[in-house]
């Protein structure tokens, strides 16, 4: 398995596991979006919590130029560390929601 296929599989495994968690409140559907053609991967929450509409991305990964970009993380899970735990080197992980200036202090890729 080449590196790109391995990264796709790791992301799918992580998000598939996370998508099994059901929110404890409201009627919220957890949607797993896997776009392997364009290398975009997300978890969305869609539904209602009482009278409050819930719609939003909780986790978003992209693969660009051989690196995994963590574009959004609205959870308490350290997904970057999960990638490292599954064998992805830190230099292949970009914390996309950090400013480019802050990335130099994160220990992950600078891009």
């Amino acid at each position: 398995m080449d590196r790109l296929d391995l990264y796709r599989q790791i992301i799918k495994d992580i998000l598939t596991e996370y998508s099994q968690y059901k929110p404890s409140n409201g009627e919220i559907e957890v949607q797993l979006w896997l776009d392997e053609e364009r290398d975009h991967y997300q978890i969305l929450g869609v539904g209602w919590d009482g009278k409050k509409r819930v719609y939003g991305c909780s986790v978003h990964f992209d693969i660009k130029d051989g690196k995994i970009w963590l574009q959004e993380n609205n959870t308490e899970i350290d997904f970057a560390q999960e990638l490292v735990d599954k064998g992805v080197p830190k230099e292949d992980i970009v914390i996309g929601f950090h400013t480019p200036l802050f990335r130099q202090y994160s220990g992950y890729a600078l891009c």
Side-chain angles (χ1 to χ4, degrees):
M1 181 180 293
D2 74 8
R3 190 173 63 139
L4 181 59
D5 288 336
L6 177 64
Y7 286 178
R8 286 176 176 144
Q9 188 61 52
I10 288 170
I11 290 170
K12 287 191 308 187
D13 291 346
I14 288 172
L15 292 183
T16 298
E17 180 180 344
Y18 179 75
S19 70
Q20 303 306 308
Y21 297 114
K22 181 82 176 149
S24 60
N25 53 327
E27 294 295 322
I28 301 167
E29 178 184 358
V30 177
Q31 297 182 354
L32 173 60
W33 291 33
L34 304 171
D35 179 353
E36 291 185 62
E37 184 177 332
R38 295 169 198 83
D39 283 322
H40 303 298
Y41 308 88
Q42 294 184 4
I43 298 282
L44 292 177
V46 180
W48 292 89
D49 184 8
K51 294 181 179 179
K52 181 181 173 190
R53 175 73 172 155
V54 175
Y55 181 88
C57 171
S58 55
V59 183
H60 175 175
F61 290 105
D62 289 330
I63 299 176
K64 299 191 302 189
D65 300 323
K67 297 189 184 303
I68 298 174
W69 285 67
L70 179 54
Q71 300 285 18
E72 189 65 63
N73 183 4
N74 291 314
T75 76
E76 295 178 2
I77 298 171
D78 185 346
F79 285 107
Q81 185 59 51
E82 289 211 13
L83 292 169
V84 171
D85 292 346
K86 292 187 179 289
V88 179
K90 283 187 168 186
E91 60 266 19
D92 283 354
I93 302 168
V94 179
I95 310 298
F97 56 87
H98 285 170
T99 67
L101 180 63
F102 184 74
R103 287 181 201 150
Q104 65 184 312
Y105 305 110
S106 70
Y108 292 96
L110 299 179
C111 290

